[in-house]
Amino acid sequence: MHQREPWRAVCAALWLSALAATPALAMETPPSMVPRELLLQFAPAMPAAERVSALTMVQAELRETLRPGLLRVSLPEGLSVDAAARQLARLPGVDFAEPNLLYHPAAQTEPARVADRHSGVAAEQSPWLADRSGVLQPLAGGCPDVAVAVLDTGAQFQHRDLRGNHWTNPGEIPGNGIDDDGNGLIDDVDGWDFAHQDASVYDDAEADLHGTHVSGLIGAQGLDPQGIRGLCQRLRLINVKFIGEDGGTLAHAVQAIDYLIDLKQRHRVPLVAVNASWGSPQDSQALRQAVQRLGAANIALVAAAGGGGRDNDRTPFFPASLPMPHVVSLAALNGGGRLWAQSNRGAQTVAL
């Protein structure tokens, strides 16, 4: 972190994000990648004709350009993703070719419900949460000058415990159908849904349960006596949705991270941390580079170590296992403040 960043704000944001890096409901083994899709990074000096030739070699069809040189492409039936990636990676002008991975909230066993039964804000009592028991207490005074991004499913930001801390984009005029702030997205007043490519960051209680839960752990104001108190009751929560019904794609994770970097760099949003309560055992060059860009923008990534009781030193879980100084990997505690038996751990790779 650069010295100009307020250390108190950074530490506050890290702790509140640490609490929020929590697992989701148990699920069956989910798919690990989008079928027949690749992310392909061309070297900057590769001529346009050679790029076209590379795509033609594997009969790939361009779906979208994620950033300069980084493409999402689809493959024809009958050609495996791994085979196409190996073919393309051999070309001198290709930096990497890899599957379009799918990310899912880190898994855990079925938790007991504790919160607002009607809206689901912070609606899981997991081993991470001890808000009224005294294991973890809210930060006195909050951190009103801090913005933290919840990169997850959507979140019910109009809930009475969240709306007071919800960030809105001052550069956008609501409902005018114009990209007022020049970031390529129209009416991203409340953030952006990269899973569906629209401005709605909350679709329904079930689809957006996990992001609402995470947001509540970070910044629920404690106005509902049946709900919870977040660790920081005064701050700005930025909702960026990239996980949809079938998971969140690597392509959308990269787009979402670059969106957040742009908010900080061009629009001076005081973003100090991004919470990533999701992951995959598969590494990715595209995600690595996106997380490196976060660090260059002086933004921490606070990531769940994952569930399953594994040793991340032996079996990495990404992005939590990325060896970068601004990546903080969080294990889970039980109600007594000790390491939860089903949390991943790692003497070298799990920070807290």
Side-chain angles (χ1 to χ4, degrees):
M1 292 290 179
H2 301 308
Q3 291 297 319
R4 65 177 182 271
E5 194 72 71
W7 278 102
R8 182 180 180 277
V10 173
C11 291
L14 287 175
W15 273 109
L16 59 93
S17 296
L19 183 60
T22 182
L25 299 177
M27 59 175 67
E28 295 180 359
T29 302
S32 62
M33 66 182 70
V34 181
R36 297 172 45 215
E37 282 198 2
L38 278 177
L39 266 59
L40 176 61
Q41 175 71 60
F42 289 123
M46 189 178 190
E50 293 184 19
R51 297 184 183 199
V52 172
S53 177
L55 295 180
T56 303
M57 180 181 73
V58 294
Q59 301 177 54
E61 181 180 348
L62 176 63
R63 292 299 183 187
E64 61 182 327
T65 299
L66 303 175
R67 55 181 291 107
L70 181 60
L71 311 180
R72 179 173 72 92
V73 303
S74 61
L75 301 171
E77 297 231 11
L79 178 60
S80 77
V81 169
D82 288 343
R86 286 194 299 269
Q87 283 183 263
L88 289 166
R90 296 190 191 104
L91 300 178
V94 173
D95 288 341
F96 62 81
E98 61 186 16
N100 188 11
L101 299 178
L102 276 170
Y103 297 105
H104 303 269
Q108 77 166 52
T109 54
E110 185 77 17
R113 297 304 179 97
V114 295
D116 186 322
R117 303 284 179 171
H118 303 291
S119 67
V121 66
E124 299 171 19
Q125 173 66 66
S126 77
W128 298 75
L129 180 60
D131 65 326
R132 296 197 190 279
S133 69
V135 175
L136 291 172
Q137 290 295 330
L139 296 166
C143 22
D145 299 324
V146 164
V148 170
V150 178
L151 183 56
D152 208 287
T153 70
Q156 190 179 358
F157 59 87
Q158 287 295 347
H159 184 278
R160 58 189 168 276
D161 260 344
L162 295 178
R163 60 186 172 224
N165 284 335
H166 174 60
W167 172 86
T168 56
N169 187 348
E172 283 289 334
I173 299 172
N176 68 352
I178 298 173
D179 176 20
D180 299 291
D181 62 0
N183 64 1
L185 305 176
I186 294 173
D187 291 338
D188 58 317
V189 176
D190 296 304
W192 192 256
D193 178 354
F194 287 92
H196 302 101
Q197 296 297 336
D198 61 38
S200 174
V201 294
Y202 178 72
D203 294 315
D204 62 65
E206 189 64 31
D208 297 318
L209 171 65
H210 191 257
T212 303
H213 165 53
V214 168
S215 298
L217 291 176
I218 297 173
Q221 291 185 301
L223 304 177
D224 180 357
Q226 292 184 324
I228 68 165
R229 294 174 295 170
L231 190 56
C232 196
Q233 284 137 48
R234 294 183 63 207
L235 82 164
R236 285 291 173 262
L237 287 170
I238 303 175
N239 295 125
V240 182
K241 180 174 180 175
F242 91 104
I243 298 177
E245 298 79 4
D246 300 318
T249 70
L250 170 60
H252 291 151
V254 170
Q255 288 179 318
I257 288 171
D258 285 336
Y259 170 75
L260 291 168
I261 293 170
D262 181 69
L263 286 181
K264 179 163 188 173
Q265 292 184 331
R266 285 205 308 126
H267 305 293
R268 301 190 179 186
V269 175
L271 177 63
V272 296
V274 175
N275 187 80
S277 183
W278 44 268
S280 166
Q282 294 176 262
D283 200 357
S284 158
Q285 287 298 314
L287 186 65
R288 279 178 176 259
Q289 291 182 4
V291 174
Q292 285 172 342
R293 292 192 293 275
L294 274 178
N298 205 26
I299 302 170
L301 182 77
V302 184
R310 299 180 184 88
D311 184 346
N312 284 5
D313 292 353
R314 297 182 178 182
T315 308
F317 187 75
F318 299 101
S321 293
L322 291 175
M324 302 177 190
H326 64 287
V327 175
V328 182
S329 174
L330 278 300
L333 303 180
N334 61 26
R338 297 183 179 182
L339 186 69
W340 179 40
Q342 296 186 52
S343 173
N344 286 359
R345 61 211 67 202
Q348 304 300 317
T349 55
V350 177
L352 295 174

